[in-house]
Amino acid sequence: MSELRELIKDKKRIVVKIGSSSLQHPETGDLDYNKMEVLVRELCNMINSGKEVVLVTSGAISVGKKAVHIKDKPEEVSVKQACAAIGQARLMMIYQKIFAEYNQVAAQVLLTKYTITNAVSRRNARNTFRELLSLGVIPIVNENDTISTFEIKFGDNDTLSAIVAALIDADLLILLSDIDGLYTDNPRTNPDAEFIEVVDELTEDIMNMGKSETGSNVGTGGMNTKLTAAKIATNAGADMIIANSSDIHILHRIMDGRNFGTLFKAHKDPNFYLPEFIEHMHEGE
Ligand code: GLU
């Protein structure tokens, strides 16, 4: 076990992000209840071991779409928003049910970019997280898709989870994804792509590795958005790990200090100011 991974055991406040593609059966797009149950059990066990845990979950739009029998991925914003309104409530109902089996209280927190750029909303959100965690409750976070349009949107939950980690001074962010971690190139198209175990610093070379398309088409986040998340999390003082969600038991293996996924080391930057970073995030797009 490496010394760096040993340190993971001591992390206290942890944000775990799971994407839509990791929660669904690829064949049908319907929720994979087994995976959700393993996820909830792992998170409850993490809380039992004395950690504070926040879950950032997608799936609202795809669950809502299923509920009203829309076949294709909706393009129109209002349709996506309607699907999110339907799906978010359903998603929470399922999470609440499974968390209740472990006697764990769960809360819903929906955020937009505006929540962070507005000083009052940011303070309110931070205080709410602090209270929930001190009450032993697990906050379940998603973007407030029903009211988010481009100007107030984060765009994907990779970024959102890093923002939550920064907002609440988390020490670790775990991104559960459909890939093992960071590779020098897209491993699905380049057999010579090499796996990277640790990223000490987010150099330009590393940031360029996100440019090739590596994500699935269910969620919106490819490797590019994961590297933006790494930038936010590590600058804010949190380590970040990208790990494969194919077996969600990977969460306790990571917390045991074992070598899974790619670890991005925290470099707290005293000049990093979250609202400003977010304000300029989509410039040039
Ligand atoms: N917030 C969106 C949802 O829950 C998904 C965002 C993402 O692509 O991760 O459906």
Side-chain angles (χ1 to χ4, degrees):
M1 209 179 285
S2 79
E3 229 168 89
L4 269 180
R5 288 300 186 134
E6 272 288 320
L7 294 174
I8 298 293
K9 288 183 184 171
D10 299 328
K11 303 291 179 191
K12 175 91 173 87
R13 186 170 285 181
I14 299 146
V15 177
V16 176
K17 181 255 168 180
I18 188 141
S20 315
S21 64
S22 305
L23 293 172
Q24 298 174 359
H25 288 282
E27 303 82 4
T28 59
D30 281 316
L31 285 175
D32 186 331
Y33 293 135
N34 286 344
K35 279 195 144 187
M36 291 183 82
E37 285 190 6
V38 176
L39 173 68
V40 169
R41 188 188 159 90
E42 286 279 322
L43 297 174
C44 289
N45 212 38
M46 225 185 244
I47 295 169
N48 277 4
S49 73
K51 313 291 184 194
E52 292 176 335
V53 181
V54 174
L55 172 64
V56 177
T57 181
S58 323
I61 297 173
S62 58
V63 169
K65 180 186 98 169
K66 278 276 168 182
V68 289
H69 311 292
I70 294 176
K71 293 244 163 2
D72 301 316
K73 198 168 177 167
E75 287 301 330
E76 218 176 312
V77 177
S78 59
V79 179
K80 281 192 205 171
Q81 289 174 322
C83 288
I86 300 160
Q88 180 64 27
R90 288 201 162 204
L91 195 62
M92 279 310 292
M93 192 176 69
I94 298 162
Y95 274 122
Q96 294 273 22
K97 177 179 178 291
I98 314 176
F99 274 111
E101 286 173 18
Y102 294 94
N103 220 6
Q104 174 62 51
V105 180
Q108 169 181 266
V109 181
L110 300 178
L111 304 172
T112 66
K113 193 169 147 184
Y114 177 79
T115 321
I116 307 299
T117 52
N118 178 280
V120 177
S121 307
R122 185 170 69 246
R123 193 171 55 238
N124 287 337
R126 186 186 283 128
N127 289 344
T128 303
F129 276 112
R130 203 186 41 225
E131 284 306 328
L132 288 171
L133 293 173
S134 74
L135 290 166
V137 171
I138 180 164
I140 303 183
V141 184
N142 199 353
E143 179 151 10
N144 196 353
D145 295 308
T146 304
I147 59 158
S148 297
T149 36
F150 182 73
E151 332 75 75
I152 57 165
K153 222 174 156 40
F154 294 119
D156 68 86
N157 280 2
D158 290 329
T159 316
L160 172 65
S161 63
I163 285 162
V164 170
L167 181 70
I168 63 168
D169 295 317
D171 2 86
L172 177 64
L173 167 63
I174 302 176
L175 296 185
L176 291 173
S177 169
D178 53 4
I179 192 157
D180 290 331
L182 181 65
Y183 286 84
T184 50
D185 196 2
N186 186 349
R188 285 169 191 148
T189 51
N190 178 0
D192 295 327
E194 280 171 39
F195 185 70
I196 301 172
E197 281 187 14
V198 182
V199 174
D200 258 318
E201 221 173 312
L202 287 164
T203 57
E204 211 170 306
D205 277 355
I206 296 278
M207 292 311 284
N208 283 335
M209 286 172 197
K211 301 269 150 71
S212 59
E213 222 11 84
T214 46
S216 67
N217 58 9
V218 184
T220 46
M223 197 46 78
N224 220 355
T225 64
K226 292 183 175 51
L227 291 172
T228 305
K231 203 167 203 167
I232 297 169
T234 58
N235 275 325
D239 279 352
M240 183 181 110
I241 293 175
I242 301 176
N244 201 322
S245 64
S246 61
D247 178 3
I248 295 176
H249 292 106
I250 200 166
L251 281 176
H252 75 256
R253 299 184 184 120
I254 289 171
M255 294 316 298
D256 283 346
R258 290 164 63 188
N259 210 3
F260 285 96
T262 300
L263 169 65
F264 296 78
K265 273 172 56 183
H267 288 280
K268 196 169 170 61
D269 176 357
N271 297 319
F272 178 74
Y273 186 52
L274 184 64
E276 197 180 82
F277 184 93
I278 291 167
E279 200 71 77
H280 301 291
M281 213 166 51
H282 291 304
E283 271 171 16
E285 278 178 12

